[in-house]
Amino acid sequence: YEDKDFQESLKTLHQWYKEGLIPTDAATNTTGFPLEGNTWFMREETQGPMDYGDTILRNAAQQDVTSRPLTEQVKTTSQAQMANFVVSNTSKNKEKAVEFLNLLNTDPELLNGLVYGVEGKAWEKVGDNQVKLLSGYKANQHMAAWNTGNNMILYTQDTITEKQVQERDESIEKAKTSPILGFNAKTDKVKTQLSNIMNVMNRYKANLNTGSIDPETTIPELVKELKQAGWDDVQKDIQKQLDEFIENSK
């Protein structure tokens, strides 16, 4: 929040809030604004190369939407962890659970059924690896496509062109790799400080991130409280770990 570019974004949000472009209860609203509803004009969503432009987003929204990128495509640790499936250490059927995960990621019939719904009702095959969505397709009644472990065995919709498939492959190939890909900070030594920091952020972030309050007057207060909560200790500890990670990666 001390980053000048981010502060400019917060100022813009606050201006939109004052102009009535952001709901007055945005910071406290718990009902949300469904993607498939008509209660929003502009929103932020996460997309990847497997979305084939806005194809998957439009399926989920059940209406015509057009996106514009806010960030460059980068391969990061958090993205690599985004759709990981794990077996609980307390599971009584660990081997069977792993067998199922293997089946989920290798059986096209199973995975496509979970993602698209019931064949013949929600979709039908129109080629070796292409499907046509039917009137019975319901966007919110099956597994999210992005949350699968192996997108490569998912069928593509008949509306997706060879050019879009090529653009998908090029997008993955050209995506930058974060120089700290694989870095995970250990927080054992600063658990108390992190808990205090979270308590501070819980009081500020919703209001700041929705433009509900003036960032110019609020951020100095936030930074002061974060430092009192132990921000500098956490930053110093994680920076040390990061320096060691980079040195060992050479």
Side-chain angles (χ1 to χ4, degrees):
Y1 286 81
E2 290 181 292
D3 181 82
K4 298 303 179 184
D5 289 337
F6 187 55
Q7 287 181 10
E8 289 302 314
S9 296
L10 293 178
K11 290 177 185 177
T12 300
L13 286 173
H14 184 54
Q15 183 62 36
W16 288 353
Y17 181 84
K18 292 191 293 183
E19 293 173 358
L21 297 175
I22 296 175
T24 55
D25 66 342
T28 57
N29 184 289
T30 57
T31 57
F33 300 89
L35 178 63
E36 68 276 14
N38 62 352
T39 57
W40 57 275
F41 172 70
M42 179 174 64
R43 65 192 294 129
E44 181 182 351
E45 293 288 336
T46 299
Q47 288 181 281
M50 291 291 182
D51 288 337
Y52 301 100
D54 294 325
T55 302
I56 305 301
L57 189 62
R58 287 170 179 163
N59 287 348
Q62 298 178 44
Q63 56 185 319
D64 189 22
V65 293
T66 300
S67 69
R68 294 290 183 268
L70 291 173
T71 60
E72 294 182 25
Q73 296 190 66
V74 182
K75 299 171 185 175
T76 65
T77 303
S78 59
Q79 288 186 336
Q81 297 171 334
M82 187 176 292
N84 283 356
F85 289 87
V86 297
V87 177
S88 171
N89 191 46
T90 60
S91 172
K92 296 179 180 179
N93 298 284
K94 293 185 179 66
E95 290 186 8
K96 285 296 180 182
V98 173
E99 283 182 26
F100 173 74
L101 287 179
N102 181 63
L103 186 65
L104 182 68
N105 287 297
T106 57
D107 188 322
E109 184 177 0
L110 173 61
L111 190 57
N112 282 279
L114 288 171
V115 167
Y116 288 113
V118 179
E119 184 176 5
K121 293 183 178 180
W123 59 281
E124 63 181 9
K125 290 193 74 173
V126 292
D128 291 339
N129 296 300
Q130 282 198 315
V131 299
K132 177 182 179 181
L133 299 185
L134 304 176
S135 58
Y137 176 83
K138 303 296 181 184
N140 295 321
Q141 294 184 7
H142 47 75
M143 185 177 179
W146 69 267
N147 200 28
T148 64
N150 185 6
N151 289 103
M152 290 302 183
I153 62 172
L154 284 178
Y155 302 142
T156 57
Q157 288 176 231
D158 58 343
T159 55
I160 295 172
T161 65
E162 285 296 323
K163 181 181 178 181
Q164 286 177 303
V165 173
Q166 182 179 352
E167 289 173 347
R168 174 204 69 188
D169 294 338
E170 291 176 352
S171 175
I172 295 173
E173 182 67 28
K174 292 179 180 178
K176 295 180 180 179
T177 298
S178 167
I180 58 171
L181 178 65
F183 173 69
N184 280 293
K186 296 180 180 179
T187 58
D188 302 32
K189 297 180 181 179
V190 288
K191 282 185 177 180
T192 300
Q193 292 94 323
L194 284 173
S195 179
N196 293 336
I197 288 170
M198 188 174 295
N199 289 334
V200 173
M201 290 306 303
N202 285 340
R203 297 202 309 273
Y204 283 94
K205 65 180 180 181
N207 286 304
L208 273 171
N209 293 348
T210 56
S212 302
I213 53 179
D214 187 350
E216 292 194 75
T217 58
T218 307
I219 288 178
E221 299 173 6
L222 169 62
V223 172
K224 180 180 178 180
E225 290 196 35
L226 286 174
K227 288 184 178 295
Q228 291 173 343
W231 174 270
D232 290 335
D233 292 338
V234 175
Q235 193 276 336
K236 183 178 179 180
D237 184 70
I238 295 180
Q239 183 65 55
K240 180 181 177 182
Q241 294 181 50
L242 179 58
D243 291 342
E244 291 173 353
F245 174 85
I246 293 174
E247 182 62 30
N248 293 331
S249 300
K250 291 180 179 178

